[in-house]
Amino acid sequence: MKPALLRLLRIAAVAVSGLTAFAGVALAQATVIQGARVFTGDEVLPTATVVVRGRTIESVTLGTDIPAAAGAEAAVVDGAGMTLLPGLIDSHTHNFGPALEQALNFGVTTVLDMLTAEAMAAQWRRQQAAGAVPGRADILAGGPVTVAGGHGTQFGVALPTLDDPEQTEAFIADRVAAGADFIKVIYEAGTAGRPLPTFAVSTLPRIVAAAHSHDLLAVFHISTAEAAGEVIAADADGLVHMYFEGAGGAEIVEAAREAGIFVVPTLAVLETIAATGGGPELAADPLIAPFLTPEQRGGLGRDFGREPDPELMANILADVGALHASGVPILAGSDAPNPGTTHGASVHRELELLVRAGLTPVEALRAATAAPVDAFDLGDRGRIAPGLKADLILVRGDATADVRATRDIAAIWKDGSRFERTKAGPTTGRPRLEPTLLSDFEDLTARTLPPKWSHSTDAFAGGKSTVTTGAVSRDRSGNALRIEGEIKEGFAFPWSGVMVLLGARFNDPVDAGGIRALAFDARGEGATYQAMAFAESLGMQPAAASFEAGEEWVRIEIPLSSFSGLEPSGAWAFFIGGPTQLGAFWIEIDNVELVE
Ligand SMILES: [Zn+2]
């Protein structure tokens, strides 16, 4: 099942890179990490000394003696009382913008991408192939495979879709041509309340066979035990989520073990589904907090709007423990940047959760180092051994006894270069926003909006929804704003309404830390309408809250705390508009205020 040719090619690549370190005209100065406890990816060396030269690990020797070959010029780092680990590998991520820099800032030196824009992944890969990229994590990306309107199409990334099973082989060949390192298949039928189109079960083996014909692994997104059973039967190589709906039980564990598949449980994101508070807890850790950007903090604070379900989380942990106990390889993956997770930091949370599921700390460390290398045939990394890539982290304490010690990072090396971590630091000098009337629409003429107000629809993201606005007169209260629009199919999260900027421009944050709620009068057609907040902590993904409005005017107050992930100290806009359901709508609003 493991494509042998690929593994051979990668071993050859390792051998070549090991050679070049010695073939240079002048040897680069070595770095010596002396006398640390070393987790090699496979075993724990209580005290060892590791020499790094150029991009690679030159030697690993027991004890504290520095080998003569390191040279008199070598820079020595004292590792006493610390643990040296292979750079961490996050086996389930989605990468956009600064994701790879954020990952490295927390000691994650390689990420496996499970869905992003193919062109962006290709560009990152070209840069990696051209030489060391010391400032960010390496990425290997799966070619995404889903159907039109299926899971994965809602993120605003233009995705090709496989809608005709007869096109399977051609479609997979296209992913290979685009540079796919493996094939990521989304097999997700949604929920009873929100069903999603997905593949027929008969198409699954055909997709796997097509991937294998190119020597690529086929890994699957699933959420139910039933789907997990179906993809295992289809000869899948791995599951990139733990099933969390439907009875798992011993049968599926046995099927997984027999099939020789691996599992990336993504406990960090499942914890957000169970709403047990892992993201905010991680964000509050003093070892993590200083290194989070506002957007990362906001991401950890986001949720899926679900009620806490500790029993669900307990069941998931028990199922992962059962898989592990039966010998199924478990890989650490965060699913960052989904709600409640963020790049880099969430791997440390994932390690802790894997220990809760029953892995020993050493087994959990293996899940984030050597295990993904073996599962995905990554070859040149994930272990500390001569000739391998010098992606390393040095942490204070004994991470092989207490896995939470990985958060206490003393040093990071990527491609042999020491990486200086970035502390985000507090944002100062931002204009403070006092409680204010955003508009009473009295100055409105029939066709225009007040200054700082604009129409806002999903056309911005390639959708087709439309909006128009105009003044309506209101008894004794002057004008109100009437918003009419149509929510049309064309973007997975369609929207239509109006937006008001708080600063001078788009994406110009102000400090709204003293504001408690967005308040306005509203009248509508009895629908559930949508408001959204935009802020630095939300990145390019606004947070939504809903409200209802019927025929009579009512005063709506939406506490800013109901926008999950919003940090008001960096807010820059609000949106008020139509429902999320398709169709025509209208709503009238008035006296829009930010109140204490
Ligand atoms: Zn994912």
Side-chain angles (χ1 to χ4, degrees):
M1 182 150 63
K2 295 277 171 60
L5 173 65
L6 187 72
R7 196 179 318 130
L8 277 178
L9 286 173
R10 289 205 168 119
I11 288 168
V14 175
V16 169
S17 71
L19 269 181
T20 50
F22 300 99
V25 182
L27 285 183
Q29 184 199 26
T31 297
V32 179
I33 302 135
Q34 184 183 23
R37 183 183 304 273
V38 174
F39 172 63
T40 65
D42 297 304
E43 57 176 339
V44 181
L45 310 177
T47 310
T49 295
V50 173
V51 178
V52 169
R53 196 186 303 273
R55 290 178 70 179
T56 54
I57 297 165
E58 184 173 290
S59 65
V60 182
T61 49
L62 294 179
T64 57
D65 289 350
I66 298 176
E73 305 293 300
V76 179
V77 176
D78 182 8
M82 303 196 200
T83 310
L84 185 68
L85 306 164
L88 301 176
I89 300 173
D90 189 338
S91 293
H92 190 141
T93 59
H94 302 278
N95 296 277
F96 310 95
L100 299 175
E101 287 83 1
Q102 291 171 353
L104 185 56
N105 207 31
F106 287 93
V108 174
T109 51
T110 297
V111 302
L112 302 183
D113 186 282
M114 293 293 159
L115 193 149
T116 188
E118 279 180 328
M120 191 156 43
Q123 189 187 339
W124 277 322
R125 254 190 230 103
R126 274 195 300 277
Q127 291 162 348
Q128 279 164 216
V133 279
R136 61 171 207 235
D138 287 347
I139 179 173
L140 289 100
V145 187
T146 189
V147 298
H151 183 69
T153 59
Q154 72 271 42
F155 301 116
V157 177
L159 278 188
T161 55
L162 171 57
D163 300 305
D164 172 7
E166 295 308 314
Q167 294 300 313
T168 300
E169 290 73 22
F171 185 86
I172 298 297
D174 285 346
R175 307 284 73 70
V176 174
D181 294 298
F182 53 91
I183 296 298
K184 156 77 185 287
V185 190
I186 293 168
Y187 185 51
E188 173 59 68
T191 57
R194 191 165 185 271
L196 288 168
T198 195
F199 298 104
V201 68
S202 58
T203 308
L204 303 177
R206 195 161 167 178
I207 296 172
V208 176
H212 288 178
S213 77
H214 293 277
D215 280 335
L216 294 186
L217 302 185
V219 300
F220 283 76
H221 163 111
I222 48 87
S223 57
T224 69
E226 188 189 358
E230 287 167 347
V231 306
I232 291 169
D235 202 20
D237 297 291
L239 308 182
V240 294
H241 286 300
M242 188 58 195
Y243 41 86
F244 60 94
E245 273 167 10
E251 265 169 62
I252 197 136
V253 170
E254 184 52 22
R257 189 194 63 75
E258 263 186 29
I261 66 156
F262 58 83
V263 177
V264 188
T266 62
L267 297 171
V269 74
L270 296 183
E271 196 177 31
T272 314
I273 289 174
T276 47
E281 194 183 317
L282 183 67
D285 183 336
L287 291 173
I288 299 288
F291 301 96
L292 295 170
T293 65
E295 187 177 348
Q296 288 186 288
R297 258 197 322 271
L300 289 171
R302 280 182 193 259
D303 57 41
F304 290 112
R306 295 168 67 127
E307 292 303 311
D309 188 351
E311 200 184 318
L312 172 65
M313 196 61 206
N315 290 340
I316 292 168
L317 290 171
D319 284 345
V320 172
L323 282 170
H324 170 65
S326 81
V328 171
I330 302 293
L331 278 47
S334 64
D335 207 4
N338 268 289
T341 71
T342 191
H343 293 287
S346 289
V347 176
H348 300 274
R349 179 69 177 180
E350 187 72 16
L351 290 173
E352 181 185 4
L353 293 169
L354 289 173
V355 170
R356 279 195 210 168
L359 280 71
T360 65
V362 167
E363 288 167 342
L365 293 173
R366 199 167 188 287
T369 54
V373 169
D374 293 347
F376 283 89
D377 290 317
L378 305 182
D380 63 351
R381 64 196 71 204
R383 287 186 166 87
I384 298 178
L388 294 186
K389 200 155 143 16
D391 293 348
L392 300 165
I393 61 170
L394 184 64
V395 304
R396 297 180 188 88
D398 182 1
T400 66
D402 174 9
V403 86
R404 285 182 54 123
T406 60
R407 301 176 183 201
D408 199 354
I409 296 173
I412 299 169
W413 290 267
K414 169 77 196 319
D415 283 308
S417 297
R418 179 85 176 252
F419 173 77
E420 291 305 328
R421 300 182 77 192
T422 307
K423 279 197 181 187
T427 311
T428 52
R430 214 164 248 173
R432 177 88 174 173
L433 191 69
E434 299 301 327
T436 183
L437 178 71
L438 293 172
S439 187
D440 57 11
F441 304 109
E442 294 317 311
D443 57 352
L444 206 64
T445 61
R447 288 179 187 278
T448 60
L449 284 164
K452 293 197 179 189
W453 286 76
S454 61
H455 292 165
S456 175
T457 73
D458 54 28
F460 176 73
K464 298 189 175 70
S465 300
T466 56
V467 68
T468 59
T469 52
V472 286
S473 74
R474 214 183 138 180
D475 292 348
R476 291 188 302 277
S477 305
N479 280 340
L481 180 72
R482 184 174 174 92
I483 306 168
E484 284 181 51
E486 188 170 353
I487 308 282
K488 293 186 186 170
E489 214 165 329
F491 185 68
F493 289 121
W495 80 86
S496 163
V498 294
M499 184 182 205
V500 54
L501 298 176
L502 306 180
R505 295 170 303 279
F506 202 79
N507 204 353
D508 179 20
V510 298
D511 178 2
I515 304 298
R516 184 182 55 80
L518 171 68
F520 50 93
D521 303 339
R523 192 176 89 81
E525 46 195 340
T528 300
Y529 295 92
Q530 212 184 173
M532 294 194 279
F534 295 76
E536 184 185 40
S537 68
L538 299 168
M540 289 313 290
Q541 224 187 326
S546 61
F547 63 94
E548 277 161 34
E551 209 170 312
E552 299 296 320
W553 281 99
V554 285
R555 186 75 177 161
I556 306 285
E557 259 200 28
I558 305 177
L560 299 196
S561 60
S562 58
F563 293 103
S564 101
L566 170 66
E567 289 184 357
S569 59
W572 59 266
F574 288 99
F575 163 97
I576 302 171
T580 53
Q581 293 84 359
L582 301 180
F585 75 91
W586 66 266
I587 181 173
E588 293 170 6
I589 59 171
D590 200 4
N591 301 321
V592 181
E593 284 181 83
L594 293 173
V595 299
E596 296 183 280

